[in-house]
Amino acid sequence: MTVRGHALTVRAFGATHTGRVRAGNEDSYLVGNDIFAVADGMGGHQAGEIASDAALEPLRELDIPGMSDPAEVGEALATAVRQANTLVVERAQADPALEGMGTTLTAIAVREGQLHVAHVGDSRAYLLRQNEKMSQLTTDHTLVDRLIQGGRASRDEAGTHPE
């Protein structure tokens, strides 16, 4: 999928893989016309898969082309992320087998040549521009990253930190 608007071109591709350690895949992704997202589920068995898929539901319903104000797009994206949290929590509370499930969520909305990013957790968003180094747009929401931000741990120490 390629979106062109003003000076912005977005090329999005989606795929998941179980990796080398786990037997199941708990990831979900969304490649839409204006919305792109990845959710990395956790919780074991199928709970992570249910959490990651539920988190994408509010994003699938966004009507970005109907919005003209950039602030409206940003607020709609933030609202969808809050709704995603509510859905995951409600489903976990309704079914004891899903207790403890959760997911990360990183979402991007593209409108009028602007990129809007929302994220929760440690699934990162990066920006890659032609002839430039890739830059990380998001900061992980983890204990170790908070220690680094607070100056209580270094990036080198983070690689071997028990958390």
Side-chain angles (χ1 to χ4, degrees):
M1 168 64 57
T2 299
V3 176
R4 295 185 190 278
H6 304 301
L8 179 67
T9 300
V10 176
R11 289 187 184 96
F13 307 90
T16 65
H17 190 277
T18 56
R20 297 180 183 176
V21 177
R22 297 196 169 117
N25 190 344
E26 297 181 338
D27 304 340
S28 296
Y29 65 90
L30 172 62
V31 177
N33 292 323
D34 310 284
I35 301 287
F36 310 91
V38 61
D40 181 2
M42 54 199 162
H45 302 292
Q46 291 187 336
E49 182 180 337
I50 291 168
S52 66
D53 187 59
L56 297 181
E57 286 180 27
L59 294 166
R60 289 183 187 109
E61 297 172 10
L62 283 180
D63 182 19
I64 298 300
M67 299 176 195
S68 58
D69 180 13
E72 184 182 11
V73 176
E75 185 53 40
L77 190 58
T79 297
V81 170
R82 287 191 291 273
Q83 290 171 340
N85 180 65
T86 299
L87 275 173
V88 171
V89 169
E90 286 174 350
R91 290 189 184 163
Q93 290 173 341
D95 185 345
L98 302 179
E99 183 180 353
M101 77 174 182
T103 186
T104 67
L105 178 60
T106 300
I108 295 172
V110 180
R111 180 73 178 131
E112 301 282 331
Q114 294 187 354
L115 190 70
H116 303 265
V117 180
H119 105 109
V120 178
D122 61 357
S123 293
R124 298 175 182 161
Y126 293 90
L127 178 64
L128 178 61
R129 291 185 173 162
Q130 193 170 4
N131 302 320
E132 291 185 20
K133 281 180 59 176
M134 185 169 15
S135 59
Q136 187 174 333
L137 296 177
T138 57
T139 302
D140 293 354
H141 298 131
T142 63
L143 172 62
V144 174
D145 213 59
R146 277 186 257 152
L147 293 173
I148 293 168
Q149 298 300 322
R152 294 181 290 173
S154 69
R155 285 271 171 218
D156 289 338
E157 292 169 328
T160 57
H161 195 282
E163 293 294 323

